Amino acid sequence: MDGKHMQIGEVAARTELSLRTIRHYEEVGLVVPSARSRGGFRLYTETDVARLMVIRRMKPLGFTLDQMRDLLDATDRLDAEDALGADELETLLDRVRTYQQAAAEQVEKLRVQLARAEDFEGTLRRRLSASAPSSDS
């Protein structure tokens, strides 16, 4: 933890997530504010922001809240200061690899979808150009 704390509004601006969404992720246990102010305001660190960014990146790829929780658990354990046995380390790395592969598959599907959308938009643009009145008339 870097010691610098941010209130939820700053975190929302930095992550481009709504206050409601951040609070929801707290309610479901995906992110927990690192501290509370004397007035009870949620306080977050850079580590918390990084965690929210992982969640934000997983959401449009179709990952569920349980999958997000599982990946975050694996990365938390990998990042912990505790020494991991070889078997546990490999198990955690396998979990992360599974999510990386799933993300790569979703990215490829999105590339195909984007190519089709661009082709469609180009078809419509050409149609409009072909149907537009000539400036010679």
Side-chain angles (χ1 to χ4, degrees), residues 93-104:
L93 291 173
D94 280 344
R95 281 169 58 190
V96 175
R97 277 188 208 100
T98 299
Y99 287 107
Q100 184 275 323
Q101 290 167 350

Side-chain angles (χ1 to χ4, degrees), residues 11-12 24 28 31 36 42 50 56 58 60 65 69 74-75 77 79 84-85 87 90 99 105 107 112 127 136-137:
V11 172
H24 173 69
V28 298
V31 68
R36 292 257 180 186
R42 294 167 174 86
R56 191 184 111 192
M58 290 181 79
L65 294 176
R69 190 175 294 108
T75 57
R77 289 173 59 196
D79 293 342
L84 299 172
D87 289 343
E90 192 53 40
Y99 287 107
E105 290 170 10
V107 167
V112 169
R127 170 74 176 156
D136 296 336
S137 328

Side-chain angles (χ1 to χ4, degrees), residues 62-112:
F63 289 101
T64 66
L65 294 176
D66 285 339
Q67 290 171 317
M68 292 175 194
R69 190 175 294 108
D70 184 54
L71 176 62
L72 290 167
D73 175 66
T75 57
D76 287 348
R77 289 173 59 196
L78 286 168
D79 293 342
E81 299 293 322
D82 303 336
L84 299 172
D87 289 343
E88 184 179 11
L89 176 62
E90 192 53 40
T91 299
L92 292 170
L93 291 173
D94 280 344
R95 281 169 58 190
V96 175
R97 277 188 208 100
T98 299
Y99 287 107
Q100 184 275 323
Q101 290 167 350
E105 290 170 10
Q106 284 303 108
V107 167
E108 186 53 36
K109 287 178 185 178
L110 288 170
R111 282 191 179 111
V112 169

